[in-house]
Structures are given as C-alpha cells and as structure tokens.
Amino acid sequence: MTVRAVELPQLWMPYPLRVNPFLPLLREESESWAREMGMLDGYQEPSGSPAIWTRSTFHAMTVDQLTAWTLPDASLADLRLNHRFNVWALAWDDHFAATFKQNGDLSGALAFTTRLRAFLRPERGVRLPEPANAVERGLADLQQHLFPPRLAHWRQEFNRALEGYIDAGVKELANSRSGRVPHLIDYVPFRRESFAAYTACYSVELATGARIPRRIRHTRTVNALLDAFMDFMGLANDIASYEREVHEELDVNNLVLSVETSLGIGRHEAVPAALNLVNTRLRDFEDLRHKDLPRLVRRSGLRHDERAELATWLRGACSFLSGLHAWYTGAPRYADSDVSHQE
C-alpha cells in the first residue's frame, strides 16, 4: 500500500503557480553557497566526515525551483537569501537523518543540537562559536545576513522557530527509537515546529515587503489563519514524503501513521483520511481568509494602506503554499521521475 497508489482525494490547491522571473539566475548559482559552506562533495571536514550531498543529489532536489515557486514576487537579493535558508534547512534534515536517525544515536543528536543552539543568538553582534561542520557553518553565515534593518524585528521570533525546528529532530528520533507513533492531537501542532513552519511568515514578508497589520496580528482570527497556513505545509509534506520516511527510513513521525494509530483504522483507510485532513486545513485557511478576516478588518477599522498591505501579504502566502504544493508533487525528492512541472 503506497500513497501514490491512492487516486482520491488529491491534495487540493486552489492557487495558481507563479514563478519568480529570477529563477534562471538563481539556477546558475544555486550550488555556490552550498559548496562554500562545505555541504557538497569535494569539501573535507576536519573530522573526516563526508559531505552531506553529491553535486547530482543536490541539483536533483531543485531547491532553486522551491525558492522561485514559493516567492514569485521577491527581488533577486531576497530570493538568494531565502534560497540559502532553504538549502540550510534541507542540509540539516539530511545530515540529521544520515548521522543520527539511521543508527538511533540519541546522545549524539542531543550533543549536535546543543551546539547548534549556541548559534541562535538574538543579540546583534554576538560572537558565535567556531563552526565544526557544514550545518553549523551555514547557520553561522545565515545569522549574519537574515536580519537586515527592515527585518530586524524577526531576529528573536525567527531564531525561536529554528530552535523549535532543531529540537523537534531529537523528539522525532526519541519517538522512532521507542516505536511510539505520536497521537494526532499532539502531532498536528508539533509538525509546525518540526517543519520550521513558523519561519514561513518571515519568508512571505521578505518576498512581499508586507506585514500583517500590528493591531490584528495577535487576534484569534489571524492566529487561526496562520495555524491553518502552517498546517498545510508540514502535513502535505508528510503525504509527499511518506514513501521515503516510512518505508525507507522507518520513521514513525508521519501524519498517515498518526491517523492510523490515533483513530484505530487500517493503512488503507488512513491514507485518504490523512489527505482529507490536509485538504481540510487548506479549506480552513480559505474560509478564514474570505469570511472571518474581512469581518475582522471592518471591526478593527484598518486604514486603506493597512488593508492593502494585508492583501499583499495574503497574496504572498497563497503563492507560498502553491509553490510548496508544486515542489511536493514535482520535485525528484518526492515525486516519480516522470512527474514534472512547466516553468
């Protein structure tokens, strides 16, 4: 029984795919930062550890497409910056899986995570530790560039999201070692952390230059909208990566397994149930965007410029989800080799 054998329901995506016009330029230089950080073959770590990827493996992930599909409105400079973050997040994921998950090395994972946390310093100008591997080297470099003046307000929140992301890896490893499949009630909010979904608002703001207006940012309606926005990202990823995670890596941290165990149903029923849950969260996002949010805007008395900024941010958020969906269903990391998307 495989996810790809299931015809219905399909992952729903109502937003058209838009592609950043700077994709060709990004593609030309896509490996330069990864190579500089020592993530590609040809770089010898002092410890003697192999590089995270071969050059062919790196290009097969099409991180350049991921970035250009999710941020169609970004400038070239902002596209490059988010591309580096995407490369780093995938480098962390693949390094953690190969180094610690494959052999169940929980103590090694804890030590690795503790060192990484030392690079997440919200204070400006703080001296960081000397990087000892490609993941640390990439994170140290990102800390120097992710927070230009217009995004300085993101320094603490972004690093808090990254802290949750790397800590979640240890929790996932502990679950896998014990064979404990997370309960659905716990798993859905946990997936926001393990997917680094809390950083997505930064990416949308980076690309669009727009922010959710301050006076509605922490309302119940906006919080619900952001939760639905983030849930689609990680839960849809679970569907796309099911084969690799569950069958190849023998991971227990996956929505399909969580649905199966929590609801006490078979795998045959769990797959469409999980797909329906992902689609439902996107419909929740749509309902909140079209029904609840306009009512909140009227009640809050947002000015015309605030409404325009909110509309710009929402358009960027929809493009972000559409780009992720396209990557999940078209990138060789997840899809069969005969599946492709037109640019």
Side-chain angles (χ1 to χ4, degrees), residues 236-281:
N237 180 272
D238 279 1
I239 302 299
S241 60
Y242 171 84
E243 288 293 327
R244 179 168 58 88
E245 291 180 353
V246 176
H247 289 281
E248 297 176 19
E249 300 176 3
L250 303 180
D251 199 346
V252 300
N253 303 280
N254 186 278
L255 177 64
V256 174
L257 297 186
S258 181
V259 167
E260 177 185 359
T261 303
S262 301
L263 301 185
I265 59 179
R267 189 71 51 86
H268 183 78
E269 294 83 14
V271 171
L275 283 162
N276 273 323
L277 176 58
V278 177
N279 289 342
T280 296
R281 291 307 278 149

Side-chain angles (χ1 to χ4, degrees), residues 128-281:
L128 300 178
E130 186 66 27
N133 54 60
V135 176
E136 293 181 357
R137 200 173 297 116
L139 186 55
D141 185 79
L142 285 173
Q143 289 293 300
Q144 307 303 316
H145 300 97
L146 280 174
F147 313 111
R150 67 186 175 91
L151 292 170
H153 59 283
W154 265 101
R155 182 178 290 273
Q156 288 193 342
E157 189 171 347
F158 191 94
N159 280 338
R160 188 160 52 244
L162 284 190
E163 189 173 290
Y165 177 55
I166 63 177
D167 286 350
V170 175
K171 295 175 185 175
E172 287 185 336
L173 178 54
N175 287 339
S176 294
R177 277 181 43 131
S178 66
R180 176 187 174 274
V181 178
H183 193 282
L184 186 60
I185 292 176
D186 300 319
Y187 182 71
V188 172
F190 172 71
R191 191 67 177 106
R192 297 170 200 156
E193 292 190 342
S194 66
F195 189 73
Y198 287 100
T199 67
C201 291
Y202 162 91
S203 297
V204 173
E205 188 174 329
L206 174 73
T208 63
R211 299 170 65 175
I212 298 175
R214 183 182 300 274
R215 53 175 143 168
I216 66 169
R217 171 62 182 83
H218 298 293
T219 61
R220 181 181 299 178
T221 296
V222 171
N223 286 335
L225 179 120
L226 293 178
D227 284 350
F229 173 64
M230 293 186 290
D231 284 346
F232 177 83
M233 299 175 207
L235 299 181
N237 180 272
D238 279 1
I239 302 299
S241 60
Y242 171 84
E243 288 293 327
R244 179 168 58 88
E245 291 180 353
V246 176
H247 289 281
E248 297 176 19
E249 300 176 3
L250 303 180
D251 199 346
V252 300
N253 303 280
N254 186 278
L255 177 64
V256 174
L257 297 186
S258 181
V259 167
E260 177 185 359
T261 303
S262 301
L263 301 185
I265 59 179
R267 189 71 51 86
H268 183 78
E269 294 83 14
V271 171
L275 283 162
N276 273 323
L277 176 58
V278 177
N279 289 342
T280 296
R281 291 307 278 149

Side-chain angles (χ1 to χ4, degrees), residues 41-179:
D41 263 358
Y43 187 97
Q44 186 63 45
E45 294 285 2
S47 63
S49 300
I52 297 172
W53 300 305
T54 64
R55 186 170 180 268
S56 60
T57 300
F58 173 77
H59 284 286
M61 293 191 300
T62 60
V63 191
D64 51 350
Q65 286 184 335
L66 167 65
T67 309
W69 287 351
T70 53
L71 307 180
D73 300 312
S75 68
L76 179 57
D78 291 338
L79 201 68
R80 285 169 173 154
L81 182 56
N82 209 86
H83 180 264
R84 291 182 179 188
F85 173 67
N86 288 337
V87 169
W88 179 85
L90 290 168
W92 175 90
D93 187 48
D94 286 355
H95 175 79
F96 193 90
T99 307
F100 307 113
K101 280 188 175 181
Q102 285 185 4
N103 57 14
D105 183 6
L106 186 57
S107 61
L110 284 167
F112 174 69
T113 299
T114 298
R115 271 194 56 87
L116 270 187
R117 288 167 67 106
F119 290 87
L120 299 174
R121 301 294 298 273
E123 308 91 346
R124 296 181 64 87
V126 173
R127 184 178 179 83
L128 300 178
E130 186 66 27
N133 54 60
V135 176
E136 293 181 357
R137 200 173 297 116
L139 186 55
D141 185 79
L142 285 173
Q143 289 293 300
Q144 307 303 316
H145 300 97
L146 280 174
F147 313 111
R150 67 186 175 91
L151 292 170
H153 59 283
W154 265 101
R155 182 178 290 273
Q156 288 193 342
E157 189 171 347
F158 191 94
N159 280 338
R160 188 160 52 244
L162 284 190
E163 189 173 290
Y165 177 55
I166 63 177
D167 286 350
V170 175
K171 295 175 185 175
E172 287 185 336
L173 178 54
N175 287 339
S176 294
R177 277 181 43 131
S178 66

